[in-house]
Amino acid sequence: MVQVALPDGSTRELDSPATALDLATSIGPRLAKAAIAARLDGKVVGLDTRLPEDRTAEVAILTSKDEDALAVMRHSCAHVMARAVMKLFPEVQLAFGPTIENGFYYDFELPNHALSEADFEAIEAEMKRLVELDEPFERIETPRDQAVQTCADLGQTLKVEHIKEGLAEHGEVSFYRNGEFLDLCRGPHVPKAGTIGAFKLLSVAGAYWKGDQSKQQLQRLYATAFFSQKDLDAYLTQLEEAKRRDHRVLGKKLDLFTISPVVGSGLILWQPKGAIVRGLMEQFVRDELQKRGYLPVVTPNIGRIELYETSGHYPYYKDSMFAPITMDDDEQYILKPMNCPHHIMIYKSKPRSYRDLPLRLAEFGTCYRYEQSGELSGMTRVRCFTQDDAHIFCAEKQTADEIQGCIEMTKFVLSCLGLNDYRVRLGFREPGSSKYVGAPEVWDRAQNALIDVCQGLNIDASREEGEAAFYGPKADFVVTDCLGREWQLGTVQLDYNLPSDQRFGLEFIGSDNSPHRPVMIHRAPLGSLERFIGVLIEHFAGAFPLWLAPEQVRVMPVSEKTEGYARKIEQLLREKGLRVQGDYRPEKLGSKIRDAQLELIPYMAVVGPRDEENGTISLRDRTEGDLGAKLIDEAIDHLLTEVREKRVRQTFAGARAVEKSKANEY
């Protein structure tokens, strides 16, 4: 007999042998018809999977309502897409076709044809035909040597190489057959192709076989699929909105930043307007740091390689660092990949007492990473970035309070930017992995400390093994923007390892006049300034809140008759601390308003003869339109109050305004 424990707590017995589909059928015909896959003891498997007979298995039947089922369906759709490409281009070599967030891709070697959007219609038509055939996905398990011969007979040389090298330790491998299409795959898949819902091909990009630049270049075909056309349409609408909000496009249109191939890929050149936004963010964080007892430090952009060997960064992250620079005396330096070893040396620069702790050192430190060219993306993935970095050195009994303070500051910073939709993810060590330094008991202590703080703050944090830094566990703030996309931004990391004897041997003299080991906390509410501001551009669609806008008010006279009054208003607003410009071009007022709307200026101060006569300003809001005439002091108070309160209005009309101004004629 097969014994099964169901999610509702009930148990069920089946005759041996039994599959997951047999279980679904025993529960009811409707469930059997809706079943797509199953979860067996926490692992997603196909419905054809045999259930164990030697123990009670925990099994859940997955339908289209389950997120894991969507991933299974997308994987099957990737096979259908590969089958369609092979039908249209018989000479194609197949690589891999995994699922990814929001979709899937398949890598192909197709030397005689460059895939493009012009091919999408034909590929999608063939995919539709294959889905309508509703042929089953059949799992075939084969000895490894036989699998090599099978792939060789099919002429699939990439698969042959992968079985020989990547699967060398596997005595048996699996294929999945769908009609005449056979592909090396561990699965799982949906029962039949007809289960696949609505799909759409999205783009083509270059890739390397197994991600190795020394190997052949492949063509990566991206696509997505959903169980319903409605869900697909909603996602495609979201993609179009994301294109309108693309920070790379808006950054250029709004003159915020540029990237020059002459300077180098992944190196941001901040235009004046972008530099203003960056400076405001820096000052905002600096003010908070001062209030919270942090001390500013500044460290160099390079350091001796021995510094990073001691910290462990060089052996762990060597491939993502720039090559060492060899000096005349044969000493080697590298561009700074991390700020923490430099801050550690500031701590070590003199004896420390328990009275000095907690010592909070903060820096807007610039770091350098050798990112692969294919991984660079505007401001969100760069080779040179600045972190709002700080490191806290404290006694162990102070750890909980310091972590709590770090988390509270991160929450405060995010709230001032209207980024209130976030979750906290605890990144823990993967048991048994060799990539982490320090004893397991030290890691347990650090991980439990993070759990205790989150529970004390009523934060329902998820826990993910394998997501820790190599030196300690961390709490990441994963922010959801207005399009529902997640971004990992702020982070707090707890570190018992870098202060240890095996690393830097940090000490302080305790109240007992004996040496003690401090605990180290790494924290960065923003993370990378480049990445954070890139996310903000997309979240606000370029329409920054008033306190963060590079130009807050644009003054425009109705005609030349009131230009003198307009210039006085401009100067007065500037003296009050507002960032203001005047538009004195000999253009119609409606044209000036449209230009200001397109540039996403939060407020327009329109002045005409009546305003000059009455000492008023006709204030115009970027989103709410004409606010009417206000006395000068009233208008200034309106603006300064919004700045002081760091008010964020979730209107997000920016990207659309760049494409089409909705300004009315004045």
Side-chain angles (χ1 to χ4, degrees):
M1 297 293 290
V2 174
Q3 292 189 330
V4 173
L6 299 173
D8 63 1
S10 64
T11 59
R12 186 172 289 265
E13 289 188 348
L14 302 170
D15 291 333
S16 302
T19 65
L21 180 58
D22 292 331
L23 172 62
T25 302
S26 74
I27 296 173
R30 291 181 60 186
L31 180 61
K33 184 177 181 180
I36 290 170
R39 190 181 294 111
L40 172 60
D41 294 331
K43 180 182 178 182
V44 178
V45 298
L47 290 175
D48 57 351
T49 300
R50 285 184 59 172
L51 302 179
E53 300 176 17
D54 58 344
R55 56 186 168 81
T56 300
E58 295 183 357
V59 183
I61 302 300
L62 305 180
T63 69
S64 60
K65 297 178 180 179
D66 296 284
E67 186 174 344
D68 285 337
L70 180 59
V72 173
M73 186 271 281
R74 285 173 172 168
H75 187 194
S76 300
C77 196
H79 275 230
V80 170
M81 182 173 73
R83 183 180 174 186
V85 170
M86 179 169 278
K87 182 75 172 179
L88 296 171
F89 307 100
E91 72 278 15
V92 69
Q93 289 286 319
L94 303 178
F96 299 127
T99 58
I100 55 175
E101 185 178 6
N102 295 322
F104 57 90
Y105 68 78
Y106 209 111
D107 287 344
F108 304 101
E109 185 177 22
L110 198 56
N112 298 320
H113 182 80
L115 292 171
S116 69
E117 290 189 10
D119 299 306
F120 287 5
E121 184 177 352
I123 296 173
E124 288 175 345
E126 180 61 19
M127 290 174 67
K128 182 179 179 181
R129 185 186 72 82
L130 295 173
V131 169
E132 289 174 348
L133 290 177
D134 197 21
E135 294 171 317
F137 280 88
E138 178 189 1
R139 182 181 177 90
I140 303 170
E141 295 186 355
T142 307
R144 196 174 71 85
D145 291 343
Q146 185 178 333
V148 170
Q149 187 60 51
T150 297
C151 290
D153 292 343
L154 293 170
Q156 293 297 319
T157 57
L158 296 179
K159 301 288 186 180
V160 170
E161 178 189 327
H162 181 59
I163 297 172
K164 287 182 176 180
E165 299 178 6
L167 302 177
E169 297 180 359
H170 293 253
E172 192 172 70
V173 298
S174 60
F175 289 85
Y176 272 85
R177 182 186 299 280
N178 178 236
E180 81 282 0
F181 181 74
L182 185 69
D183 197 6
L184 179 72
C185 181
R186 63 185 177 187
H189 284 281
V190 298
K192 296 188 296 183
T195 308
I196 295 172
F199 52 84
K200 179 70 176 176
L201 273 59
L202 300 175
S203 62
V204 182
Y208 291 100
W209 171 233
K210 296 191 174 182
D212 188 340
Q213 292 189 62
S214 66
K215 297 183 182 295
Q216 59 265 54
Q217 189 163 16
L218 308 175
Q219 299 181 60
R220 178 167 294 176
L221 186 54
Y222 286 97
T224 192
F226 290 85
F227 282 113
S228 72
Q229 186 65 44
K230 179 182 177 181
D231 288 343
L232 175 61
D233 290 342
Y235 177 70
L236 295 177
T237 299
Q238 184 188 63
L239 282 185
E240 287 303 311
E241 182 65 16
K243 288 179 182 178
R244 284 191 286 268
R245 292 170 179 268
D246 191 326
H247 75 280
R248 294 165 295 186
V249 175
L250 290 175
K252 182 177 181 180
K253 288 184 177 180
L254 300 176
D255 209 20
L256 297 172
F257 72 94
T258 189
I259 299 174
S260 168
V262 177
V263 175
S265 300
L267 304 175
I268 303 299
L269 299 175
W270 295 83
Q271 301 280 17
K273 289 183 178 180
I276 289 172
V277 175
R278 174 180 169 140
L280 290 165
M281 287 300 307
E282 285 192 21
Q283 192 57 51
F284 166 53
V285 173
R286 288 184 201 278
D287 290 344
E288 281 304 310
L289 291 173
Q290 184 176 7
K291 293 175 186 176
R292 296 168 189 263
Y294 287 80
L295 301 174
V297 296
V298 179
T299 61
N301 286 353
I302 63 172
R304 293 181 63 204
I305 196 169
E306 288 83 0
L307 176 68
Y308 306 105
E309 288 175 337
T310 301
S311 70
H313 289 103
Y314 188 72
Y316 277 89
Y317 298 125
K318 180 179 178 181
D319 291 342
S320 60
M321 294 182 183
F322 280 91
I325 304 166
T326 303
M327 311 299 282
D328 292 340
D329 56 4
D330 290 333
E331 280 195 332
Q332 288 190 311
Y333 289 74
I334 58 174
L335 290 171
K336 179 172 63 175
M338 303 281 186
N339 297 303
C340 39
H342 294 248
H343 291 188
I344 287 172
M345 299 315 295
I346 290 177
Y347 179 91
K348 288 194 69 171
S349 64
K350 62 180 183 180
R352 302 289 178 178
S353 161
Y354 71 96
R355 294 187 180 89
D356 300 324
L357 306 184
L359 178 65
R360 308 180 186 100
L361 304 180
E363 174 183 21
F364 282 87
T366 300
C367 299
Y368 303 85
R369 305 278 175 83
Y370 181 60
E371 301 285 1
Q372 301 297 319
S373 58
E375 297 175 337
L376 298 174
S377 179
M379 298 176 78
T380 58
R381 195 74 179 265
V382 294
R383 287 176 172 157
C384 171
F385 59 94
T386 300
Q387 289 181 305
D388 62 324
D389 218 351
H391 296 91
I392 301 171
F393 303 87
C394 62
E396 185 160 7
K397 65 181 180 181
Q398 298 169 323
T399 302
D401 288 342
E402 291 304 310
I403 294 174
Q404 180 173 329
C406 293
I407 290 176
E408 287 175 342
M409 180 175 175
T410 303
K411 291 172 64 177
F412 173 77
V413 169
L414 294 177
S415 68
C416 288
L417 293 160
L419 298 172
N420 297 310
D421 186 1
Y422 59 81
R423 62 184 177 89
V424 177
R425 178 184 65 201
L426 300 183
F428 286 173
R429 172 179 180 268
E430 182 181 354
S433 174
S434 61
K435 74 175 184 177
Y436 304 101
V437 298
E441 59 269 19
V442 173
W443 276 85
D444 290 341
R445 226 162 66 233
Q447 291 176 176
N448 289 332
L450 281 180
I451 293 171
D452 291 343
V453 170
C454 288
Q455 289 177 344
L457 293 172
N458 293 318
I459 295 174
D460 185 17
S462 63
R463 306 174 192 181
E464 296 187 23
E465 292 183 348
E467 290 298 319
F470 75 90
Y471 48 76
K474 60 179 180 174
D476 289 331
F477 281 74
V478 182
V479 176
T480 299
D481 68 11
C482 62
L483 293 182
R485 301 171 301 180
E486 288 194 333
W487 304 87
Q488 191 272 302
L489 297 177
T491 188
V492 180
Q493 302 174 358
L494 183 56
D495 184 0
Y496 285 81
N497 285 303
L498 292 186
S500 70
D501 281 337
Q502 291 74 29
R503 295 296 168 180
F504 288 100
L506 302 186
E507 291 184 348
F508 68 91
I509 302 301
S511 58
D512 59 358
N513 212 31
S514 299
H516 296 267
R517 183 83 60 228
V519 176
M520 187 174 176
I521 299 171
H522 311 239
R523 49 103 279 175
L526 304 181
S528 156
L529 272 171
E530 285 75 8
R531 177 180 171 83
F532 194 92
I533 292 175
V535 171
L536 281 186
I537 292 170
E538 298 198 4
H539 181 65
F540 290 120
F544 292 108
L546 183 64
W547 74 271
L548 199 54
E551 182 181 341
Q552 295 171 313
V553 185
R554 181 165 296 176
V555 178
M556 49 188 72
V558 172
S559 67
E560 291 183 6
K561 294 179 181 179
T562 52
E563 181 176 330
Y565 179 63
R567 291 187 181 276
K568 290 179 181 179
I569 295 298
E570 179 188 350
Q571 183 59 30
L572 180 59
L573 295 176
R574 187 171 289 114
E575 290 173 357
K576 293 295 183 180
L578 292 163
R579 294 180 293 280
V580 56
Q581 296 292 332
D583 186 347
Y584 306 109
R585 297 174 299 161
E587 303 285 346
K588 290 183 178 180
L589 182 60
S591 177
K592 294 180 181 180
I593 291 175
R594 280 194 297 274
D595 289 344
Q597 289 281 141
L598 288 170
E599 294 177 46
L600 303 177
I601 311 302
Y603 283 96
M604 288 148 270
V606 180
V607 293
R610 188 173 299 174
D611 291 301
E612 184 172 16
E613 180 181 338
N614 297 329
T616 60
I617 301 172
S618 293
L619 209 57
R620 186 180 185 88
D621 187 289
R622 173 178 59 199
T623 56
E624 296 178 10
D626 188 10
L627 301 182
K630 295 180 180 290
L631 292 173
I632 294 174
D633 288 345
E634 181 187 2
I636 291 174
D637 183 66
H638 176 95
L639 297 168
L640 293 180
T641 298
E642 186 170 333
V643 171
R644 184 174 59 254
E645 294 178 353
K646 291 185 170 57
R647 201 175 299 162
V648 176
R649 292 179 289 170
Q650 309 286 6
T651 52
F652 306 127
R656 294 184 183 277
V658 170
E659 294 185 354
K660 180 180 179 181
S661 172
K662 295 181 180 179
N664 298 317
E665 291 288 339
Y666 186 79

